[in-house]
Amino acid sequence: MKSNRRREFLKSASAAGMGFFGLGNVVSQSSSLLPWEAQYGNSREQVFNMCGYAAPKLETVRVGIVGLGMRGPGAVDRLSKIEGVEIKALCDLLPERAEKAKQSLAGTVHQPELYSGSTYAWKKMCDRPDLDLIYIATPWEWHTPMAVYAMEAGKHAAVEVPAARTLDECWQLVETSERTKKHCMQLENCCYDFFELMTLKMAREGFFGEVVHVEGAYIHDLLWLNFDKDTGYQNMWRLRENYRNGNLYPTHGLGPICQILNVNRGDQMDYLTSLSSNDFQMKRKAEELAEQDIFWTEFASKSYRGNMNTTVVKTKLGKSIMIQHDVTSTRPYSRLHVVSGTEGYAQKYPQPRVAKGHSWMKEEEMKELEKKYTPEIVQKVGELAKQIGGHGGMDFMMDWRLIDCLRNGLPLDQDVYDAALWSCISPLSEWSVANRSNSIDVPDFTGGSWKSNQPVPVTLAGGGTTKVRV
């Protein structure tokens, strides 16, 4: 009740154009961008600590998948190959997508029931008593509502990135997961990239010394896809998301480096500041298209996020994080992934490299590092993951690890606090950009438990028993 009253207060305050923190700036009209202190205070009490929580074992994980456009079909294929998974339900707004996904399972043990044709068909699926996990691969605006509804219905939720778009949604996820004791895992596949996993193990074993600075990014030229009305995103939803100005997609670069810094598990984000360049391409593209096709008139009248957003974060222990987002500029793909410590350094792009001093390690030395620091999960399913696919195998390792944890009653590598924290960078960066890059505090979704929570494991202890159907 207390937090609900705070939400209502903030909505009223936003409408009145109140400023906070004595910055002298007017807060954005969207309540999602308001500073979190006024909403939750500094002493939110944790109902139940979901970090390290092991739900009861599930010999068979009965899955319902919603969203069968871009990401969903791949998830259907990957999950169908994991032992102990039964795909019992498939859901999409468009009936033809649901039917196509079901046809892809022909000849397998899976015979899912279909849900489609209605905006809320997914609720009927979630209400089924014979499901354990709802796997969500829909447009972003549905991520939190679906995850919350799934947990309320007694199911674990696995949700594509970002898990939430507003601070209010982040808190909804946390409060619901704690109350229901149902997992809410953000499907951050980059945490299972081969090089990212190797650097996590290296950090755990002290290779870098004290890690003092990390960098991550999502730099991907998607201008063409955002403006593809035929084979792109349903109802141009991804293009519409770009009306917001900040880091709209922080989790790919952020997830792996947060695990390296033990954020939420020994350290915590303190505050951030964010700056966006102007938009030099998106509005121009919309205007050019509108001259030829009336379909684009609506989009030509809008303002878009800047080409490059750079957000920097200071942690409670004094570490620094840089996160970048650019899905417009003509440049090579990069997630950056930089780990800088007192004794060593690593970066993935433009190619995986490691250094102990001023010079990069030679090829032979890199091979020795791979032998020494390849984590157990890669040793067990890495080659199978490459064969099955999904961003080079990291998608499959993510799904396999999720199912293996649920089947063995293990805590998940990513919990609801990670989902909320990594996602909240978007609304907080929007606020900072709108307020001349002023700094803003980052919420502690763990309620102080970050001080005693244990780091993400780099072994398969207690698990690793789930086989793969090939």
Side-chain angles (χ1 to χ4, degrees), residues 137-179:
T138 60
W140 301 347
E141 66 177 306
W142 291 102
H143 286 183
T144 293
M146 288 180 175
V148 167
Y149 192 91
M151 289 186 284
E152 295 282 13
K155 282 74 174 174
H156 299 300
V159 57
E160 273 287 355
V161 301
R165 296 164 67 249
T166 69
L167 279 176
D168 190 64
E169 288 184 342
C170 291
W171 284 110
Q172 287 179 48
L173 293 175
V174 170
E175 292 171 347
T176 306
S177 181
E178 289 183 355
R179 177 167 41 79

XYZ file of all heavy atoms in Angstrom, residues 137-179:
341
model
N 8.433 -13.660 -25.506
C 9.253 -13.099 -26.588
C 8.409 -12.138 -27.432
O 8.403 -12.206 -28.657
C 9.821 -14.218 -27.443
N 7.717 -11.240 -26.769
C 6.784 -10.307 -27.396
C 7.407 -8.914 -27.529
O 8.530 -8.690 -27.069
C 5.525 -10.199 -26.530
O 5.915 -9.717 -25.228
C 4.828 -11.544 -26.395
N 6.693 -7.948 -28.121
C 7.153 -6.555 -28.062
C 7.358 -6.106 -26.613
O 6.705 -6.599 -25.691
C 6.014 -5.785 -28.734
C 5.435 -6.774 -29.699
C 5.512 -8.091 -29.002
N 8.256 -5.152 -26.420
C 8.698 -4.757 -25.087
C 7.559 -4.337 -24.159
O 7.606 -4.611 -22.959
C 9.693 -3.606 -25.194
C 10.915 -3.916 -25.991
C 11.346 -5.146 -26.415
C 11.877 -2.968 -26.473
N 12.515 -5.038 -27.130
C 12.865 -3.715 -27.184
C 12.017 -1.586 -26.382
C 13.963 -3.098 -27.785
C 13.104 -0.975 -26.974
C 14.069 -1.718 -27.667
N 6.567 -3.649 -24.681
C 5.518 -3.120 -23.814
C 4.745 -4.216 -23.093
O 4.076 -3.961 -22.092
C 4.556 -2.236 -24.600
C 3.738 -2.984 -25.642
C 2.743 -2.072 -26.347
O 1.957 -1.408 -25.654
O 2.758 -2.042 -27.600
N 4.816 -5.449 -23.605
C 4.088 -6.558 -22.995
C 4.943 -7.363 -22.024
O 4.425 -8.248 -21.328
C 3.546 -7.486 -24.084
C 2.450 -6.864 -24.884
C 2.551 -6.325 -26.138
C 1.089 -6.687 -24.477
N 1.338 -5.839 -26.541
C 0.419 -6.052 -25.542
C 0.371 -7.016 -23.325
C -0.935 -5.726 -25.485
C -0.971 -6.707 -23.260
C -1.615 -6.061 -24.332
N 6.240 -7.108 -21.958
C 7.118 -7.936 -21.147
C 6.708 -7.961 -19.674
O 6.518 -9.033 -19.092
C 8.567 -7.462 -21.286
C 9.182 -7.820 -22.600
N 10.501 -7.545 -22.917
C 8.672 -8.438 -23.694
C 10.761 -7.973 -24.136
N 9.668 -8.509 -24.634
N 6.608 -6.801 -19.063
C 6.261 -6.771 -17.641
C 4.834 -7.240 -17.381
O 4.629 -8.068 -16.477
C 6.487 -5.366 -17.060
O 7.891 -5.075 -17.072
C 5.979 -5.275 -15.627
N 3.818 -6.747 -18.110
C 2.462 -7.248 -17.839
C 2.357 -8.765 -17.928
O 1.696 -9.402 -17.088
C 1.612 -6.563 -18.918
C 2.347 -5.314 -19.246
C 3.798 -5.686 -19.138
N 3.007 -9.359 -18.915
C 2.928 -10.809 -19.067
C 3.693 -11.536 -17.977
O 3.230 -12.556 -17.445
C 3.451 -11.214 -20.447
C 2.513 -10.833 -21.577
S 3.171 -11.322 -23.195
C 1.788 -10.881 -24.252
N 4.883 -11.038 -17.637
C 5.675 -11.683 -16.588
C 4.959 -11.609 -15.245
O 4.923 -12.589 -14.494
C 7.053 -11.035 -16.496
N 4.386 -10.454 -14.937
C 3.658 -10.294 -13.674
C 2.446 -11.226 -13.641
O 2.203 -11.919 -12.642
C 3.227 -8.825 -13.482
C 2.205 -8.696 -12.349
C 4.445 -7.952 -13.202
N 1.698 -11.268 -14.723
C 0.507 -12.126 -14.763
C 0.906 -13.595 -14.626
O 0.233 -14.373 -13.927
C -0.241 -11.910 -16.070
C -1.627 -12.524 -16.082
C -2.741 -11.796 -15.677
C -1.822 -13.840 -16.497
C -4.015 -12.364 -15.677
C -3.083 -14.414 -16.506
C -4.178 -13.670 -16.098
O -5.420 -14.249 -16.091
N 1.998 -13.984 -15.286
C 2.452 -15.372 -15.206
C 2.813 -15.743 -13.774
O 2.428 -16.822 -13.287
C 3.652 -15.577 -16.131
N 3.544 -14.881 -13.086
C 3.922 -15.176 -11.699
C 2.707 -15.221 -10.793
O 2.611 -16.086 -9.915
C 4.951 -14.144 -11.219
C 6.323 -14.295 -11.855
S 7.575 -13.183 -11.156
C 7.130 -11.617 -11.922
N 1.772 -14.310 -11.017
C 0.534 -14.326 -10.220
C -0.249 -15.623 -10.459
O -0.951 -16.105 -9.572
C -0.342 -13.120 -10.581
C 0.250 -11.765 -10.233
C 0.127 -11.419 -8.760
O -0.194 -12.301 -7.954
O 0.383 -10.245 -8.427
N -0.101 -16.181 -11.656
C -0.794 -17.428 -11.993
C -0.014 -18.659 -11.543
O -0.392 -19.789 -11.879
C -1.052 -17.485 -13.496
N 1.078 -18.452 -10.829
C 1.829 -19.568 -10.275
C 2.890 -20.140 -11.181
O 3.371 -21.251 -10.951
N 3.306 -19.378 -12.196
C 4.326 -19.857 -13.126
C 5.609 -19.038 -12.980
O 5.578 -17.861 -12.653
C 3.855 -19.735 -14.584
C 2.879 -20.820 -15.033
C 1.501 -20.632 -14.473
C 0.501 -21.649 -15.045
N -0.815 -21.543 -14.396
N 6.737 -19.683 -13.261
C 7.971 -18.932 -13.416
C 7.904 -18.177 -14.740
O 7.224 -18.612 -15.679
C 9.170 -19.880 -13.429
C 9.336 -20.685 -12.183
N 9.529 -20.104 -10.951
C 9.333 -22.032 -11.975
C 9.647 -21.054 -10.037
N 9.522 -22.223 -10.629
N 8.601 -17.046 -14.801
C 8.598 -16.230 -16.012
C 10.018 -16.074 -16.542
O 10.947 -15.769 -15.789
C 7.998 -14.855 -15.726
N 10.178 -16.309 -17.836
C 11.428 -16.031 -18.535
C 11.089 -15.018 -19.613
O 10.272 -15.288 -20.493
C 12.009 -17.302 -19.145
N 11.692 -13.830 -19.548
C 11.241 -12.729 -20.391
C 12.399 -12.144 -21.189
O 13.492 -11.926 -20.647
C 10.535 -11.654 -19.534
C 11.446 -11.138 -18.431
C 10.022 -10.508 -20.390
N 12.149 -11.913 -22.457
C 13.163 -11.312 -23.323
C 13.521 -9.903 -22.845
O 12.822 -9.283 -22.055
C 12.664 -11.261 -24.775
C 12.950 -12.533 -25.553
C 14.411 -12.697 -25.911
O 15.218 -11.787 -25.653
O 14.768 -13.753 -26.457
N 14.624 -9.382 -23.366
C 15.153 -8.097 -22.934
C 14.541 -6.948 -23.751
O 14.208 -7.137 -24.926
C 16.688 -8.072 -23.083
C 17.301 -9.171 -22.252
C 17.119 -8.213 -24.540
N 14.401 -5.774 -23.114
C 14.506 -5.539 -21.678
C 13.267 -6.054 -20.955
O 12.173 -6.066 -21.526
C 14.601 -4.010 -21.590
C 13.825 -3.524 -22.790
C 14.082 -4.532 -23.872
N 13.420 -6.450 -19.698
C 12.299 -7.012 -18.946
C 11.259 -5.946 -18.615
O 10.089 -6.261 -18.420
C 12.801 -7.660 -17.654
N 11.692 -4.689 -18.540
C 10.788 -3.590 -18.187
C 11.218 -2.333 -18.915
O 12.385 -2.190 -19.305
C 10.794 -3.359 -16.680
N 10.279 -1.413 -19.074
C 10.564 -0.150 -19.768
C 10.504 1.052 -18.846
O 10.959 2.132 -19.210
C 9.568 0.060 -20.912
C 9.650 -0.975 -22.009
C 8.436 -0.972 -22.907
N 8.299 0.235 -23.699
C 7.341 1.145 -23.527
N 6.451 1.000 -22.565
N 7.272 2.188 -24.323
N 9.904 0.903 -17.676
C 9.754 2.006 -16.733
C 10.198 1.559 -15.342
O 10.265 0.360 -15.045
C 8.287 2.474 -16.635
O 7.503 1.455 -15.988
C 7.714 2.772 -18.019
N 10.473 2.520 -14.471
C 10.825 2.186 -13.091
C 9.675 1.487 -12.385
O 9.875 0.555 -11.606
C 11.208 3.454 -12.321
C 12.626 3.959 -12.539
C 12.838 5.270 -11.805
C 13.639 2.936 -12.073
N 8.478 1.945 -12.645
C 7.311 1.335 -12.022
C 7.223 -0.144 -12.396
O 6.942 -1.002 -11.549
C 6.045 2.068 -12.446
C 4.834 1.633 -11.639
O 4.826 1.863 -10.420
O 3.906 1.054 -12.230
N 7.485 -0.462 -13.662
C 7.463 -1.847 -14.092
C 8.569 -2.657 -13.427
O 8.368 -3.828 -13.059
C 7.584 -1.936 -15.614
C 6.335 -1.499 -16.362
C 6.454 -1.689 -17.859
O 7.590 -1.824 -18.378
O 5.397 -1.704 -18.521
N 9.742 -2.057 -13.262
C 10.835 -2.752 -12.586
C 10.424 -3.169 -11.183
O 10.660 -4.309 -10.754
C 12.074 -1.859 -12.516
S 12.882 -1.548 -14.114
N 9.796 -2.244 -10.456
C 9.354 -2.566 -9.094
C 8.228 -3.586 -9.103
O 8.140 -4.428 -8.203
C 8.927 -1.291 -8.369
C 10.084 -0.454 -7.924
C 10.472 0.756 -8.421
C 11.025 -0.774 -6.896
N 11.592 1.208 -7.759
C 11.944 0.292 -6.827
C 11.173 -1.866 -6.033
C 12.998 0.299 -5.912
C 12.233 -1.863 -5.127
C 13.127 -0.786 -5.069
N 7.365 -3.531 -10.095
C 6.309 -4.540 -10.188
C 6.899 -5.942 -10.287
O 6.425 -6.883 -9.630
C 5.423 -4.280 -11.408
C 4.472 -3.109 -11.309
C 3.676 -2.960 -12.594
O 3.131 -3.928 -13.118
N 3.632 -1.755 -13.117
N 7.916 -6.095 -11.109
C 8.555 -7.397 -11.261
C 9.144 -7.879 -9.939
O 8.961 -9.032 -9.528
C 9.650 -7.331 -12.321
C 9.203 -7.099 -13.766
C 10.417 -6.934 -14.672
C 8.332 -8.243 -14.268
N 9.871 -6.981 -9.272
C 10.515 -7.345 -8.008
C 9.477 -7.724 -6.956
O 9.573 -8.775 -6.294
C 11.401 -6.189 -7.508
C 11.880 -6.447 -6.080
C 12.586 -5.991 -8.432
N 8.468 -6.877 -6.782
C 7.475 -7.118 -5.744
C 6.688 -8.404 -6.007
O 6.386 -9.166 -5.082
C 6.524 -5.926 -5.646
C 7.225 -4.677 -5.119
C 6.363 -3.419 -5.224
O 5.328 -3.467 -5.927
O 6.735 -2.414 -4.611
N 6.375 -8.665 -7.274
C 5.598 -9.862 -7.596
C 6.427 -11.122 -7.416
O 5.947 -12.125 -6.880
C 5.071 -9.791 -9.041
O 4.348 -8.570 -9.229
C 4.146 -10.957 -9.336
N 7.677 -11.104 -7.857
C 8.533 -12.273 -7.709
C 8.750 -12.611 -6.241
O 8.675 -13.786 -5.847
C 9.871 -12.033 -8.403
O 10.720 -13.155 -8.311
N 9.024 -11.605 -5.426
C 9.239 -11.848 -4.000
C 7.982 -12.405 -3.330
O 8.060 -13.323 -2.500
C 9.656 -10.555 -3.305
C 11.057 -10.097 -3.651
C 11.474 -8.851 -2.896
O 10.629 -8.273 -2.161
O 12.647 -8.450 -3.023
N 6.840 -11.857 -3.663
C 5.587 -12.274 -3.020
C 5.163 -13.673 -3.438
O 4.677 -14.462 -2.627
C 4.488 -11.254 -3.332
C 3.118 -11.610 -2.782
C 2.174 -10.416 -2.849
N 2.301 -9.675 -4.072
C 1.754 -10.046 -5.243
N 1.055 -11.174 -5.314
N 1.892 -9.312 -6.317
